[in-house]
Amino acid sequence: MLCPCGSNKRYLLCCGALHTGTQKAQNPEELMRSRYSAFVMGEAEYLFNTSLARHHASDELDQLKAAMGQVEWLKLEIVDAYGDSVEFKAYFRDENGLSVLHEKSRFVFEEDVWLYDEGTLFKTKIERNAACPCGSGKKYKKCCG
C-alpha cells in the first residue's frame, strides 16, 4: 500500500515507520506528513504523542478517536516547508461534501524529537478549474464541484 502522505513510498517504509516508533521524524515536513497519514489511518495515539504536552486536554485523545471516522481524507498538498513551519492543504470529504483544510503549522524540536505546536488556518476553497481532489483526473467543476 502506498503511503497516504503522497510520497509514493510504501506506507510501512514511510509514515508507518514513524507511527510504529521504529523511526523518528527528521524534520517538520516529515512530521507533518506523518500526522496527515495518522489521520488517514486512524492513529489517534500518534497524533496525541506528536503534539506538545500543553495541547493534551484530558479528553483530547477520546475526541480524536471519535472524530476519526467522520472524515475521508483524500489528498495532501505541501504548499511550502521552511524552518519550523509547514504550510499545507489537506483535502477531505465529510457529510457536507469535499472541502480543504489549509493550514500553516509550526513545530518545535524538543528532547530530540519534532512536535506539533500550533497552526494558523486559512479560509480556502477548492478552485473550480483545479484537478478534483477525489482523484478522478477531471476538473473539480465537472466532477465533485
Side-chain angles (χ1 to χ4, degrees):
M1 159 184 173
L2 286 179
C3 192
C5 80
S7 67
N8 290 321
K9 297 178 185 173
R10 292 186 53 220
Y11 170 71
L12 293 176
L13 300 175
C14 190
C15 294
L18 280 72
H19 294 167
T20 60
T22 57
Q23 291 182 8
K24 292 190 286 188
Q26 299 300 303
N27 55 58
E29 182 179 346
E30 195 171 281
L31 179 61
M32 196 267 119
R33 286 179 176 279
S34 71
R35 287 176 57 84
Y36 170 82
S37 292
F39 276 105
V40 174
M41 303 300 287
E43 294 285 345
E45 289 86 2
Y46 181 80
L47 292 165
F48 188 80
N49 292 333
T50 57
S51 62
L52 282 176
R54 68 180 166 96
H55 298 298
H56 296 178
S58 60
D59 63 343
E60 180 186 14
L61 185 56
D62 291 332
Q63 288 177 2
L64 273 171
K65 287 179 181 178
M68 289 277 179
Q70 298 176 10
V71 174
E72 176 190 5
W73 295 98
L74 302 171
K75 176 181 158 187
L76 175 66
E77 175 187 330
I78 303 297
V79 176
D80 202 2
Y82 46 92
D84 65 355
S85 299
V86 179
E87 184 179 344
F88 68 92
K89 293 180 182 179
Y91 297 87
F92 64 93
R93 184 188 331 261
D94 63 11
E95 70 275 358
N96 299 315
L98 285 178
S99 298
V100 60
L101 170 72
H102 184 178
E103 180 178 316
K104 180 178 178 182
S105 297
R106 189 174 155 274
F107 300 87
V108 296
F109 194 68
E110 203 171 80
E111 296 182 23
D112 203 36
V113 295
W114 283 102
L115 298 168
Y116 172 81
D117 183 11
E118 60 188 359
T120 302
L121 294 174
F122 299 97
K123 187 173 182 166
T124 303
K125 64 179 186 170
I126 302 170
E127 296 298 322
R128 292 176 33 82
N129 288 318
C132 192
C134 77
S136 68
K138 299 178 183 176
K139 288 186 179 185
Y140 177 65
K141 69 182 178 186
K142 299 221 179 225
C143 190
C144 296

